[in-house]
Amino acid sequence: VQLQASGGGLVQAGGSLRLSCAASGSIRRINAMAWYRQAPGKQRELVAVITSGGSENYADSVKGRFTISRDNAKSTVYLEMNSLKPDDTAVYYCNADITVRGRVYGTDYWGKGTQVTVSS
């Protein structure tokens, strides 16, 4: 199983970016999907999570500005980021709890990070 993230880049404060992360491989079921981020010198933090049923939760710092969504047919999770601030600068990682074929329980998978830089 692999998670491939894309969509990072450089944007001015107040701008928008959309991140995508597609899962591939021998997948039986994708459970929760999430985005994390890690800024230089800081610990990795949860940004947003979406369950298989579509329930969403967000870090307080991004509520009202970021939206997480998923397309189950494409095994893809998205993160729409609006009103970006310099404090949003970080490497963003996608994460998914995936049950592979032949197994009963899910396992955590991580994508390689994608850099988001917000200039002031």
Side-chain angles (χ1 to χ4, degrees), residues 53-91:
S55 297
E56 305 162 29
N57 273 293
Y58 298 90
D60 287 344
S61 59
V62 306
K63 279 181 182 176
R65 299 188 298 120
F66 290 12
T67 302
I68 189 170
S69 61
R70 62 191 285 171
D71 184 333
N72 292 326
K74 295 182 179 179
S75 299
T76 299
V77 62
Y78 305 97
L79 186 67
E80 186 76 35
M81 304 184 293
N82 298 315
S83 302
L84 282 161
K85 305 174 182 180
D87 283 350
D88 295 318
T89 295
V91 177

